[in-house]
Amino acid sequence: MTTPAVLKFGGSSFRTLAAYGSLAEALGRRVDAEGTKLVVVVSGQPGETEQFRERLSQINPHPEDETVAGLLTLADTIGAQLLATALHRQGRRATVLAGHQLGLVTNSAFMWARLEQSDPGPLQDALRENDIVVVPGGQAADAQGRPTWLGKNSSDLSAVAIAAALGAPRCEIHSDVDGIYSTDPHLVTGTRLLKEVSYNIAALMSLYGAKVLHRRSVRLAQKHRIDIVCRLNRAPFPEGSVIGTRGTSASAVVLNQRSTVLRYDSEDAADRAFAAFHGANIDTIRLTTGPLVAVIGGFVDLEEFQRRQGLTPGGFAGIPVTALRGSKVATHLAASEDEALHLAQRLHDQLQDPDALFPEPELLGV
């Protein structure tokens, strides 16, 4: 059996139910044109994961991780089944493999679980019987077979892990932007598409909150020398950026409005908090400009997590906005989302000027 193509489609690909039928047609055309089989990783529809989380919090404001992982992953399961039935309507041989069927085994951290091993057997068996295997993103299981979650926005990680298991040389990531830009083009004007991006630069941008790719997916791709090809999620699915061994130094500004910086009473307290977050596989940065810890990407009950870890909760210090020029990094703090947007625009304008000095870290209004 030839190596299948591995594709991922994020939640923005499915803003309407009609989108499932449109994508099913496009996937079928690719199977016919290229004579290759496909593994398609999908996320749930926009906002669906958050709706599950809200319903859960109405019953228990501080649910256990096992319950959260069991419920929130259902959004991606629903998306996978909807795409599968759209493929069936097109007469395609397709099936769904959920997380516990995939052969991806994690540790027993139910949320933000870490991959430990993979068995390509289940995927290979499914591909022998089907032209397209649909996989709900972010799902796996621990050694006891219990469902685990790879974390928020982890469909990228699922796709790269599948590509690695199957020996695929590339993994295609489809989203509502065609690649990696010098900053989020939905928030800031004057952005530039970065056509070739090195693994290290992509991982650094993701670590500080860039939403194009999951950070651990980049490192896994680097380990297995898999090219990550970023494409637009609408036909004809143009290619924008390629993440791989090539790529020049880049200047960029990263703003993730869900990220939060916490201020602690002492450097030791900040170190302990950072160790706790990091130990739970939550993307966190220990800033050097004070007793500050940046928790990246949100979707964490910060107060409850710190309470469970026996920590005195840190206070809100701001929203991080990070400027990168090559390997140089400076994180700035903004007091509100509006201020963060203005700061991101200003920093981006400065970074595009080759004669401008690299902006030093600063605290604005906090």
Side-chain angles (χ1 to χ4, degrees), residues 262-273 286 290-292 312-315:
L262 301 173
R263 185 187 301 278
Y264 292 87
D265 291 337
S266 67
E267 299 289 345
D268 286 344
D271 289 341
R272 289 193 298 273
R286 176 68 167 91
L292 302 169
T312 300

Side-chain angles (χ1 to χ4, degrees), residues 7-36:
L7 295 69
K8 175 256 180 174
F9 287 86
S12 61
S13 308
F14 309 108
R15 296 193 182 280
T16 66
L17 290 177
Y20 291 99
S22 298
L23 180 58
E25 292 179 5
L27 295 173
R29 288 194 296 270
R30 179 162 178 174
V31 169
D32 293 340
E34 299 180 8
T36 187

Side-chain angles (χ1 to χ4, degrees), residues 138-256:
Q139 298 183 6
D142 68 4
Q144 287 74 49
R146 296 175 297 182
T148 57
W149 189 36
L150 302 178
K152 178 67 172 170
N153 298 324
S154 56
S155 295
D156 302 333
L157 181 56
S158 296
V160 173
I162 289 168
L166 294 174
R170 53 194 273 150
C171 177
E172 302 177 23
I173 304 293
H174 298 74
S175 65
D176 57 356
V177 292
D178 57 354
I180 299 177
Y181 282 77
S182 51
T183 194
D184 189 334
H186 298 306
L187 302 177
V188 173
T189 61
T191 59
R192 296 178 298 106
L193 176 67
L194 308 178
K195 296 287 291 182
E196 291 185 340
V197 183
S198 70
Y199 293 120
N200 287 336
I201 292 297
L204 187 63
M205 292 178 67
S206 182
L207 172 63
Y208 281 88
K211 290 175 277 189
V212 174
L213 284 171
H214 190 282
R215 179 177 62 86
R216 282 186 282 152
S217 70
V218 177
R219 289 306 186 196
L220 187 62
Q222 184 176 25
K223 178 181 178 180
H224 293 276
R225 300 184 70 82
I226 297 168
D227 283 345
I228 298 177
V229 181
C230 301
R231 294 181 180 273
L232 194 65
N233 59 10
R234 299 186 299 276
F237 310 107
E239 177 182 309
S241 304
V242 177
I243 300 169
T245 55
R246 296 185 297 177
T248 58
S249 179
S251 297
V253 171
V254 177
L255 166 61
N256 187 322

Side-chain angles (χ1 to χ4, degrees), residues 24 26 45 52 83 88 102 151 234 237:
Q45 288 189 283
F52 280 127
L83 180 58
H88 295 155
L102 271 176
R234 299 186 299 276
F237 310 107

Side-chain angles (χ1 to χ4, degrees), residues 300-316:
V300 181
D301 187 336
L302 295 174
E303 185 172 341
E304 178 65 9
F305 176 85
Q306 292 173 95
R307 184 189 67 79
R308 291 181 182 176
Q309 297 293 321
L311 302 169
T312 300
F316 175 77

Side-chain angles (χ1 to χ4, degrees), residues 282-347:
I282 300 170
D283 281 347
T284 313
I285 301 163
R286 176 68 167 91
L287 301 180
T288 59
T289 49
L292 302 169
V293 175
V295 183
I296 304 301
F299 226 71
V300 181
D301 187 336
L302 295 174
E303 185 172 341
E304 178 65 9
F305 176 85
Q306 292 173 95
R307 184 189 67 79
R308 291 181 182 176
Q309 297 293 321
L311 302 169
T312 300
F316 175 77
I319 298 171
V321 183
T322 300
L324 302 94
R325 180 175 285 169
S327 60
K328 295 181 66 177
V329 178
T331 296
H332 310 250
L333 302 186
S336 66
E337 289 191 12
D338 284 345
E339 189 175 278
L341 287 171
H342 291 302
L343 177 59
Q345 183 70 64
R346 179 166 63 84
L347 291 172

